[in-house]
């Protein structure tokens, strides 16, 4: 005759079996900036719905948007061409995407962060100073030349500056189909509506004249 194990042993055993479930029970990451609940909608998703399989063609899995040089005639002297899910729908839900970044001589990809992705990149042309700052406020940087790579851990503020004589070209890759980009200068000084001057004067310990001057650079 099989005797029942004591109740507390049974509880421990069940607890051990459920342990992996508890470890994996965090919320899934967002695939976009937000997904406000429409409590009455019949269906809503975090991401994008799928095209019916019968309508999928080979073209859905190829993209030539990164073959063209971007226009770097702007205040930063740079251009980002994104191959994310919005431009290349075949990437939907696959957790991957790329960017092409063109730099005029002296061009800057200004300090920014990607809320949903770690970034890696390889220099294709030219010479770039690549840097990021950790949450402990430590700055890591290096000058990279053709074929050299970098990594920026998810969410950290980073930049690339063209320190070569000629234009530069960089390809980057992300572990998100839509990494998102919070560009520090435009986030702080060109949001719509504007962040109140009182916040920025206090944050940067300067007067309204300085804040208004910076805001005016991005007002176009
Ligand atoms: C590049 O952008 C500038 C500024 O927007 C514009 O004046 C110029 O025509 C563009 N050049 C090309 C080749 O599209």
């Amino acid at each position: 005759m099989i005797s029942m194990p004591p109740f507390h042993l049974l509880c421990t055993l069940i607890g051990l079996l459920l342990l992996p479930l508890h470890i994996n029970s965090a919320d899934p990451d967002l695939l976009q900036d937000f997904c406000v609940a429409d409590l009455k909608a019949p269906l809503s998703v975090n991401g994008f719905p799928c095209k019916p399989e019968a309508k999928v063609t080979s073209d859905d899995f190829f993209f030539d948007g990164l073959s063209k040089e971007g226009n770097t005639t702007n205040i930063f002297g740079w251009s980002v061409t994104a191959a994310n899910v919005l431009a290349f729908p075949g990437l939907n839900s696959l957790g991957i995407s790329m960017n092409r970044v063109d730099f005029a001589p002296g061009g800057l990809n200004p300090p920014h962060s990607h809320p949903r992705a770690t970034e890696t990149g390889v220099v294709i042309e030219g010479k770039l100073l690549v840097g990021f700052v950790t949450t402990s406020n430590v700055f890591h940087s290096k000058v990279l030349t053709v074929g050299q790579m970098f990594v920026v851990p998810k969410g950290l503020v980073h930049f690339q500056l063209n320190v070569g004589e000629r234009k530069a070209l960089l390809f980057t890759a992300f572990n998100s189909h839509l990494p998102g980009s919070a560009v520090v200068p435009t986030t702080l000084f060109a949001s719509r509506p504007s962040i109140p001057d009182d916040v920025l004067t206090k944050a940067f310990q300067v007067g309204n004249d300085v804040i208004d001057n910076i805001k005016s650079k991005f007002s176009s």
Side-chain angles (χ1 to χ4, degrees):
M1 191 176 155
I2 302 162
S3 64
M4 286 292 289
F7 183 67
H8 71 274
L9 265 183
L10 211 59
C11 290
T12 309
L13 193 67
I14 291 169
L16 282 174
L17 287 173
L18 290 178
L19 200 58
L21 294 179
H22 286 297
I23 289 167
N24 294 325
S25 65
D27 288 352
D29 283 341
L30 272 177
L31 302 177
Q32 54 211 12
D33 282 355
F34 48 78
C35 189
V36 179
D38 176 352
L39 298 176
K40 296 198 176 114
L43 171 74
S44 66
V45 294
N46 175 19
F48 301 91
C50 313
K51 193 171 173 176
E53 197 169 334
K55 292 195 174 157
V56 171
T57 68
S58 292
D59 282 346
D60 288 316
F61 303 106
F62 299 91
F63 179 68
D64 68 1
L66 299 193
S67 59
K68 292 176 218 81
E69 186 174 343
N71 185 341
T72 58
T73 307
N74 52 60
I75 56 169
F76 296 125
W78 110 129
S79 169
V80 174
T81 310
N84 58 34
V85 67
L86 301 177
F88 183 3
L91 298 179
N92 191 32
S93 81
L94 297 179
I96 199 164
S97 62
M98 295 188 75
N99 277 352
R100 170 191 178 123
V101 195
D102 288 283
F103 298 84
L108 172 71
N109 187 0
H112 64 282
S113 68
H114 303 291
R116 289 179 292 279
T118 287
E119 169 176 347
T120 186
V122 59
V123 178
I124 304 298
E125 197 182 324
K127 193 158 117 180
L128 294 168
L129 170 66
V130 178
F132 70 86
V133 180
T134 70
T135 56
S136 307
N137 229 15
V138 177
F139 176 50
H140 295 288
S141 72
K142 188 170 182 173
V143 172
L144 298 186
T145 55
V146 174
Q148 296 188 308
M149 289 183 71
F150 66 85
V151 64
V152 177
K154 182 175 178 174
L156 298 185
V157 172
H158 60 286
F159 66 84
Q160 299 105 21
L161 174 68
N162 184 356
V163 291
E165 303 282 301
R166 301 156 201 262
K167 62 189 182 184
L169 173 61
L170 172 70
F171 276 86
T172 53
F174 304 89
N175 64 335
S176 166
H177 76 178
L178 190 61
S181 193
V183 182
V184 177
T186 49
T187 294
L188 293 177
F189 298 100
S191 65
R192 292 202 173 94
S194 292
I195 296 176
D197 276 18
D198 286 351
V199 173
L200 298 172
T201 53
K202 190 84 173 173
F204 290 99
Q205 298 289 296
V206 294
N208 290 74
D209 52 334
V210 176
I211 298 301
D212 291 343
N213 186 357
I214 299 173
K215 281 184 174 175
S216 73
K217 312 285 184 193
F218 301 106
S219 61
S220 60

